[in-house]
Amino acid sequence: MRSIFHAAAAVFLLHFFLTVTFSVGIRTIGGGDGSGPGFGFSEAPDYRNGVECPVSVNKEVVSSCDPDLVHVAMTLDSEYLRGSIAAVHSVLRHASCPENVFFHFVAAEFDPASPRVLSKLVRSTFPSLNFKIYIFREDAVINLISSSIRQALENPLNYARNYLGDILDLCVDRVIYLDSDLVVVDDIHKLWNTALTNSRVIGAPEYCHANFTKYFTDGFWSDPVLSRVFHSRRPCYFNTGVMVMDLVRWREGNYRKRIENWMEIQRKRRIYELGSLPPFLLVFAGNVEAIDHKWNQHGLGGDNVRGSCRSLHTGPVSLLHWSGKGKPWVRLDARNPCPLDHLWKPYDLYKGSSTKDRSSFPSSIFLGFSSYLS
């Protein structure tokens, strides 16, 4: 009972800090500007660098090739647009040097909202944002996708992370990949500074206590040839929604093709039930740079079937991730939110949301809550 009380107290205190109002001039855009009905977002506050931030060599023209910038890759589509905008807003709000963050957005070729419309909307919402939009050709992966336990997991754009080494400019050597259903409540520069040691290609929070065998079918584990892939390593589950990626090593190792090879086997043998995660596990599990768990408090969207409410994991929080079926904007609009969905709301810039919930608060308030959750 005591632990339940402490957890409830933590959520209450977090929500209290998040809903303190602040005064910022906010302008609504969308709808009549060509972005279509339902695509209206308020302009975000203009987040600027402090005097302590490093200045780029060519400060007049920001380039996607600038190695001094923090490079973040995300997908951008009409279905998850509200989540993507909130995620970008959260990164900027908590970044120590927001002008030194460059966003690489990957948009689907045949999305109802064209890349031009999406680009206009992003520019209107974040006028000073450094970003570039790339078009993802779905035919590159459509014939490799197998059915999943949830239809949303079959969206070709879910597989865009497999192709970042090909999609992004070749001059981009390193990138942080982020899903669209999360918010960052800490300085993104801290995650960027993660060292990928021993020639590792990716870094992510690992969860070695999870039952790794459940991510693959009995047919996979009973096949001595297929299951042999893990014999020389100790595989641990990791969530692909938050990754630090070395794109130089990715390209040199042709990891896109390695992932595609497992997808081809899946089409013939049915060795897993989930979507884009298992091929990543097959290629990388057991050889991932372990990042602190605070950088992916995932599972807040519940499981892939019911999307029930979840509580925070014990420990500090730098990133909240609503992986699973339940999405905070959907539950909030339905007036049936989970307690933690209120932590997402202050970052929501959708024009149908109340401005009084867009509060200003320091990221440090999240870092000391482990005592309330233990």
Side-chain angles (χ1 to χ4, degrees):
M1 181 65 70
R2 183 179 179 184
S3 61
I4 295 175
F5 172 78
H6 285 167
V11 172
F12 173 79
L13 288 171
L14 285 171
H15 186 239
F16 171 79
F17 283 112
L18 287 170
T19 53
V20 177
T21 59
F22 72 114
S23 178
V24 170
I26 295 180
R27 186 174 60 185
T28 299
I29 60 95
D33 69 348
S35 58
F39 277 5
F41 291 87
S42 299
E43 183 179 314
D46 194 15
Y47 299 103
R48 293 292 181 178
N49 284 355
V51 295
E52 73 283 356
C53 294
V55 179
S56 178
V57 176
N58 188 357
K59 62 181 180 180
E60 298 300 325
V61 180
V62 177
S63 169
S64 62
C65 296
D66 192 336
D68 294 327
L69 300 181
V70 173
H71 294 269
V72 177
M74 298 179 63
T75 58
L76 202 61
D77 69 329
S78 54
E79 184 177 0
Y80 280 81
L81 183 60
R82 188 170 169 185
S84 299
I85 294 294
V88 172
H89 186 201
S90 71
V91 170
L92 296 176
R93 175 175 286 188
H94 296 287
S96 56
C97 301
E99 293 180 83
N100 292 4
V101 181
F102 194 102
F103 284 88
H104 302 263
F105 295 117
V106 180
E109 185 177 14
F110 301 112
D111 189 84
S114 69
R116 178 175 296 182
V117 167
L118 293 173
S119 179
K120 184 176 181 180
L121 185 142
V122 170
R123 178 59 66 205
S124 298
T125 309
F126 305 101
S128 59
L129 188 71
N130 303 316
F131 75 93
K132 181 175 181 178
I133 291 184
Y134 306 77
I135 298 177
F136 177 55
R137 296 190 58 181
E138 298 179 5
D139 59 0
V141 72
I142 193 71
N143 292 325
L144 294 173
I145 298 174
S146 57
S147 60
S148 181
I149 61 173
R150 183 159 61 93
Q151 188 173 1
L153 299 177
E154 300 171 21
N155 186 332
L157 203 57
N158 285 338
Y159 295 83
R161 74 196 86 187
N162 304 5
Y163 297 87
L164 290 178
D166 304 290
I167 297 173
L168 304 191
D169 297 327
L170 288 176
C171 59
V172 181
D173 294 341
R174 179 184 173 94
V175 73
I176 295 173
Y177 174 80
L178 297 178
D179 270 352
S180 298
D181 53 355
L182 56 77
V183 291
V184 177
V185 294
D186 201 350
D187 187 358
I188 194 72
H189 291 78
K190 298 177 183 177
L191 182 59
W192 178 253
N193 289 332
T194 299
L196 299 180
T197 62
N198 299 322
S199 299
R200 291 190 175 97
V201 180
I202 65 172
E206 287 186 303
Y207 301 88
C208 296
H209 63 278
N211 181 7
F212 190 81
T213 59
K214 72 177 183 179
Y215 293 99
F216 302 95
T217 63
D218 291 340
F220 170 83
W221 292 113
S222 62
D223 188 310
V225 176
L226 295 178
S227 60
R228 189 173 57 196
V229 67
F230 293 123
H231 284 183
S232 61
R233 43 188 165 129
R234 180 174 176 262
C236 294
Y237 163 76
F238 65 95
N239 180 279
T240 53
V242 180
M243 295 185 291
V244 178
M245 308 175 68
D246 186 317
L247 294 183
V248 174
R249 296 171 184 169
W250 180 282
R251 296 174 182 124
E252 290 176 348
N254 200 8
Y255 283 94
R256 170 190 52 86
K257 183 58 179 176
R258 298 190 195 191
I259 290 174
E260 287 181 337
N261 289 341
W262 282 110
M263 294 176 68
E264 290 172 356
I265 293 175
Q266 161 72 355
R267 294 277 292 178
K268 301 173 183 176
R269 298 284 303 273
R270 195 67 182 178
I271 58 176
Y272 53 80
E273 300 296 339
L274 290 173
S276 60
L277 169 65
F280 258 85
L281 296 179
L282 287 161
V283 173
F284 292 108
N287 194 24
V288 174
E289 187 71 39
I291 296 176
D292 194 303
H293 289 176
K294 69 181 182 180
W295 282 106
N296 195 352
Q297 287 265 351
H298 68 289
L300 303 185
D303 59 27
N304 282 302
V305 179
R306 293 181 299 173
S308 53
C309 296
R310 295 272 181 89
S311 58
L312 288 174
H313 307 296
T314 300
V317 183
S318 291
L319 185 149
L320 297 159
H321 186 188
W322 279 263
S323 58
K325 184 179 181 180
K327 303 305 174 188
W329 57 91
V330 175
R331 296 193 293 215
L332 285 163
D333 285 353
R335 299 186 182 278
N336 188 32
C338 294
L340 292 178
D341 294 344
H342 295 286
L343 304 183
W344 178 89
K345 194 172 183 180
Y347 303 98
D348 185 17
L349 293 173
Y350 180 59
K351 68 180 181 180
S353 305
S354 172
T355 58
K356 71 180 182 179
D357 292 316
R358 302 193 191 112
S359 55
S360 178
F361 52 89
S363 60
S364 59
I365 69 168
F366 284 87
L367 305 182
F369 273 85
S370 59
S371 60
Y372 288 95
L373 301 171
S374 58

